[in-house]
PDB file of all heavy atoms in Angstrom:
ATOM      1  N   LEU A  50      -7.147  40.700  34.198  1.00 38.00           N
ATOM      2  CA  LEU A  50      -6.264  41.637  33.506  1.00 38.00           C
ATOM      3  C   LEU A  50      -6.857  43.036  33.529  1.00 38.00           C
ATOM      4  O   LEU A  50      -6.168  44.019  33.789  1.00 38.00           O
ATOM      5  CB  LEU A  50      -6.045  41.176  32.060  1.00 38.00           C
ATOM      6  CG  LEU A  50      -5.075  40.008  31.890  1.00 38.00           C
ATOM      7  CD1 LEU A  50      -5.113  39.526  30.446  1.00 38.00           C
ATOM      8  CD2 LEU A  50      -3.661  40.405  32.289  1.00 38.00           C
ATOM      9  N   THR A  51      -8.174  43.107  33.256  1.00 41.00           N
ATOM     10  CA  THR A  51      -8.847  44.404  33.283  1.00 41.00           C
ATOM     11  C   THR A  51      -8.770  45.006  34.672  1.00 41.00           C
ATOM     12  O   THR A  51      -8.435  46.175  34.849  1.00 41.00           O
ATOM     13  CB  THR A  51     -10.316  44.234  32.887  1.00 41.00           C
ATOM     14  OG1 THR A  51     -10.356  43.589  31.632  1.00 41.00           O
ATOM     15  CG2 THR A  51     -11.011  45.565  32.791  1.00 41.00           C
ATOM     16  N   ALA A  52      -9.069  44.185  35.669  1.00 42.00           N
ATOM     17  CA  ALA A  52      -9.056  44.684  37.042  1.00 42.00           C
ATOM     18  C   ALA A  52      -7.661  45.129  37.444  1.00 42.00           C
ATOM     19  O   ALA A  52      -7.482  46.142  38.119  1.00 42.00           O
ATOM     20  CB  ALA A  52      -9.546  43.586  37.990  1.00 42.00           C
ATOM     21  N   GLU A  53      -6.663  44.358  37.008  1.00 40.00           N
ATOM     22  CA  GLU A  53      -5.293  44.719  37.360  1.00 40.00           C
ATOM     23  C   GLU A  53      -4.926  46.079  36.783  1.00 40.00           C
ATOM     24  O   GLU A  53      -4.308  46.906  37.443  1.00 40.00           O
ATOM     25  CB  GLU A  53      -4.320  43.658  36.843  1.00 40.00           C
ATOM     26  CG  GLU A  53      -4.303  42.408  37.720  1.00 40.00           C
ATOM     27  CD  GLU A  53      -3.445  41.317  37.123  1.00 40.00           C
ATOM     28  OE1 GLU A  53      -3.033  41.456  35.954  1.00 40.00           O
ATOM     29  OE2 GLU A  53      -3.200  40.326  37.809  1.00 40.00           O
ATOM     30  N   SER A  54      -5.318  46.291  35.529  1.00 44.00           N
ATOM     31  CA  SER A  54      -4.960  47.567  34.917  1.00 44.00           C
ATOM     32  C   SER A  54      -5.690  48.708  35.604  1.00 44.00           C
ATOM     33  O   SER A  54      -5.128  49.784  35.805  1.00 44.00           O
ATOM     34  CB  SER A  54      -5.263  47.557  33.421  1.00 44.00           C
ATOM     35  OG  SER A  54      -6.626  47.687  33.198  1.00 44.00           O
ATOM     36  N   GLU A  55      -6.960  48.460  36.002  1.00 47.00           N
ATOM     37  CA  GLU A  55      -7.698  49.506  36.708  1.00 47.00           C
ATOM     38  C   GLU A  55      -7.062  49.792  38.058  1.00 47.00           C
ATOM     39  O   GLU A  55      -6.914  50.939  38.466  1.00 47.00           O
ATOM     40  CB  GLU A  55      -9.159  49.081  36.899  1.00 47.00           C
ATOM     41  CG  GLU A  55      -9.969  49.165  35.623  1.00 47.00           C
ATOM     42  CD  GLU A  55     -11.405  48.704  35.849  1.00 47.00           C
ATOM     43  OE1 GLU A  55     -11.773  48.429  37.005  1.00 47.00           O
ATOM     44  OE2 GLU A  55     -12.132  48.613  34.854  1.00 47.00           O
ATOM     45  N   ALA A  56      -6.692  48.727  38.759  1.00 46.00           N
ATOM     46  CA  ALA A  56      -6.078  48.917  40.072  1.00 46.00           C
ATOM     47  C   ALA A  56      -4.747  49.632  39.940  1.00 46.00           C
ATOM     48  O   ALA A  56      -4.406  50.492  40.758  1.00 46.00           O
ATOM     49  CB  ALA A  56      -5.901  47.558  40.752  1.00 46.00           C
ATOM     50  N   ALA A  57      -3.985  49.264  38.904  1.00 47.00           N
ATOM     51  CA  ALA A  57      -2.698  49.922  38.693  1.00 47.00           C
ATOM     52  C   ALA A  57      -2.904  51.403  38.418  1.00 47.00           C
ATOM     53  O   ALA A  57      -2.153  52.249  38.910  1.00 47.00           O
ATOM     54  CB  ALA A  57      -1.964  49.258  37.524  1.00 47.00           C
ATOM     55  N   ARG A  58      -3.933  51.708  37.622  1.00 51.00           N
ATOM     56  CA  ARG A  58      -4.219  53.107  37.319  1.00 51.00           C
ATOM     57  C   ARG A  58      -4.616  53.858  38.600  1.00 51.00           C
ATOM     58  O   ARG A  58      -4.186  54.975  38.856  1.00 51.00           O
ATOM     59  CB  ARG A  58      -5.358  53.201  36.295  1.00 51.00           C
ATOM     60  CG  ARG A  58      -5.367  54.505  35.545  1.00 51.00           C
ATOM     61  CD  ARG A  58      -6.474  54.497  34.483  1.00 51.00           C
ATOM     62  NE  ARG A  58      -6.481  53.307  33.681  1.00 51.00           N
ATOM     63  CZ  ARG A  58      -7.537  52.536  33.506  1.00 51.00           C
ATOM     64  NH1 ARG A  58      -8.671  52.818  34.108  1.00 51.00           N
ATOM     65  NH2 ARG A  58      -7.470  51.480  32.743  1.00 51.00           N
ATOM     66  N   ALA A  59      -5.427  53.201  39.431  1.00 52.00           N
ATOM     67  CA  ALA A  59      -5.848  53.828  40.682  1.00 52.00           C
ATOM     68  C   ALA A  59      -4.647  54.094  41.583  1.00 52.00           C
ATOM     69  O   ALA A  59      -4.545  55.142  42.207  1.00 52.00           O
ATOM     70  CB  ALA A  59      -6.858  52.923  41.396  1.00 52.00           C
ATOM     71  N   LEU A  60      -3.741  53.102  41.600  1.00 48.00           N
ATOM     72  CA  LEU A  60      -2.536  53.281  42.396  1.00 48.00           C
ATOM     73  C   LEU A  60      -1.714  54.451  41.884  1.00 48.00           C
ATOM     74  O   LEU A  60      -1.211  55.273  42.655  1.00 48.00           O
ATOM     75  CB  LEU A  60      -1.685  52.012  42.320  1.00 48.00           C
ATOM     76  CG  LEU A  60      -1.693  51.109  43.554  1.00 48.00           C
ATOM     77  CD1 LEU A  60      -0.691  49.988  43.359  1.00 48.00           C
ATOM     78  CD2 LEU A  60      -1.424  51.878  44.825  1.00 48.00           C
ATOM     79  N   ALA A  61      -1.608  54.520  40.552  1.00 49.00           N
ATOM     80  CA  ALA A  61      -0.851  55.624  39.946  1.00 49.00           C
ATOM     81  C   ALA A  61      -1.480  56.959  40.338  1.00 49.00           C
ATOM     82  O   ALA A  61      -0.767  57.927  40.623  1.00 49.00           O
ATOM     83  CB  ALA A  61      -0.830  55.468  38.430  1.00 49.00           C
TER      84      ALA A  61
END
Side-chain angles (χ1 to χ4, degrees):
Chain A
L50 283 172
T51 305
E53 282 174 350
S54 76
E55 285 179 6
R58 202 177 312 126
L60 255 186

